[in-house]
Amino acid sequence: MQRYFIKEENWIGNTITIDGEDAKHIAVVMRMNIDDQIICVHPEQFAAKCTIVSIEKNEVIVEMIEELTQNSELPVQITIASGLPKGDKLEYVFQKGTELGAYEFIPVKMERSIVKWDQKKGKKKLERWHKITKEAAEQSHRHYIPQIQEPKTIQQLVDDSEDYTYKLVAFEEEANQLDKSEFTKVVSSLKKGDSLLIVFGPEGGLSPKEIKTLQAAHFKICGLGPRILRTETAPLYTLSAISYAVELN
C-alpha cells in the first residue's frame, strides 16, 4: 500500500488533503481511483489507513479509516555525519541510511574531501537530497523523514554536538591500536530515547587535526571490525549493527 507524508495543516478531522507532487503521483503515476486505499503519515509520526474519496491531478481528498499502531522507527536516534565524498556516494548513504532507520544526516566539509560545497548550488542539492530521503522513508514504511542539515565544518559539528548521549568517530587507523570494543560498548549501552552521533571520513579519511578536534570534544574513537570499509559502506554497516542490537537481538 502506497505511503505518503502529509503536512499537518492538511489534516482536518478525518479528512486529509493531498496536494503537490504526491497528488500527481496518485492520480497520474499510480492511476488510482476512488475507493482505493493508501497510508498517510502525520508529522507527529503516526500513520493512518485512508480511502480516496476525490481525485484530481493536483489534489486528492482521502478519509481516514483507522490509525495504524505499528511503528517502524528505531528506538534510538542515530545521526550520521559524513565527510563530503565524490560523486553520488552521499545520495546512496541518504537513501539506504533512511531505509535502515537513520534519524538525521550531517554532511561535513573535511580537509580531505575532494568535493567542495558549492553554496550557489546548495539549495537545489538539499532539495534533491530531501526528495531522496522522503521517497526512501515512504518505501521503507517509516513514520519520520530524516532531516539533512546543510554541510558543516568539523568545528561547527563539534559546537552542535553537546546534546547527544553518545559521540563516536569511526577511525580504523588508530582504532586498530586501541580497544576495538568501543563501538560494541556504546551500542550495547543504548537505551530507548538515547541519541548517537557518529562521524565518518571521506575517501581519504579524517586528518590528524580533525581527529584531535573531535577527541577534544569527547568523541570516542571506534573501529568497525577487521575490514576497511568504504566511506559509503561504513554508515550502513553501523546502522545495520545498531538495528540488530536494539531491535532484533
Side-chain angles (χ1 to χ4, degrees), residues 3-59:
R3 175 173 294 237
Y4 299 94
F5 288 86
I6 311 300
K7 51 194 175 185
E8 185 172 7
E9 57 265 33
N10 285 19
W11 295 66
I12 301 176
N14 289 333
T15 302
I16 304 162
T17 301
I18 303 172
D19 52 23
E21 289 299 316
D22 287 336
K24 186 183 296 184
H25 186 265
I26 291 170
V28 179
V29 179
M30 299 303 298
R31 297 181 180 276
M32 291 187 185
N33 299 301
I34 291 174
D35 292 334
D36 283 349
Q37 295 183 351
I38 62 172
I39 295 173
C40 293
V41 184
H42 191 278
E44 292 184 1
Q45 298 186 40
F46 70 83
K49 184 187 292 185
C50 303
T51 297
I52 297 174
V53 296
S54 171
I55 185 164
E56 297 178 13
K57 183 177 179 180
N58 297 312
E59 183 178 272

Side-chain angles (χ1 to χ4, degrees), residues 19-177:
D19 52 23
E21 289 299 316
D22 287 336
K24 186 183 296 184
H25 186 265
I26 291 170
V28 179
V29 179
M30 299 303 298
R31 297 181 180 276
M32 291 187 185
N33 299 301
I34 291 174
D35 292 334
D36 283 349
Q37 295 183 351
I38 62 172
I39 295 173
C40 293
V41 184
H42 191 278
E44 292 184 1
Q45 298 186 40
F46 70 83
K49 184 187 292 185
C50 303
T51 297
I52 297 174
V53 296
S54 171
I55 185 164
E56 297 178 13
K57 183 177 179 180
N58 297 312
E59 183 178 272
V60 175
I61 308 296
V62 303
E63 292 288 341
M64 189 168 74
I65 302 172
E66 62 175 320
E67 187 174 335
L68 302 177
T69 56
Q70 183 178 358
N71 192 331
S72 57
E73 294 302 314
L74 278 173
V76 292
Q77 295 180 353
I78 310 301
T79 296
I80 301 295
S82 296
L84 289 171
K86 296 184 293 184
D88 59 358
K89 294 176 182 178
L90 204 54
E91 294 184 358
Y92 182 79
V93 171
F94 294 156
Q95 182 188 60
K96 301 308 177 186
T98 296
E99 292 178 23
L100 290 167
Y103 179 78
E104 184 180 38
F105 299 100
I106 307 175
V108 186
K109 296 177 280 189
M110 294 185 178
E111 290 184 22
R112 294 176 179 172
S113 291
I114 297 173
V115 172
K116 304 303 178 184
W117 180 250
D118 188 335
Q119 199 67 40
K120 292 181 179 178
K121 299 178 181 178
K123 184 178 179 181
K124 284 190 175 181
K125 185 161 284 191
L126 284 167
E127 288 174 353
R128 173 173 169 75
W129 289 348
H130 175 74
K131 184 177 180 182
I132 288 170
T133 56
K134 177 179 179 292
E135 290 175 353
E138 290 170 344
Q139 182 274 323
S140 55
H141 284 203
R142 292 194 55 178
H143 284 54
Y144 175 79
I145 304 173
Q147 298 301 299
I148 302 175
Q149 296 193 25
E150 188 168 327
K152 296 182 177 183
T153 63
I154 282 286
Q155 190 56 56
Q156 289 171 329
L157 181 69
V158 164
D159 292 342
D160 295 338
S161 69
E162 293 183 3
D163 293 334
Y164 292 90
T165 312
Y166 299 98
K167 299 185 291 186
L168 294 175
V169 50
F171 188 58
E172 300 296 338
E173 294 177 27
E174 194 167 332
N176 287 335
Q177 310 301 321

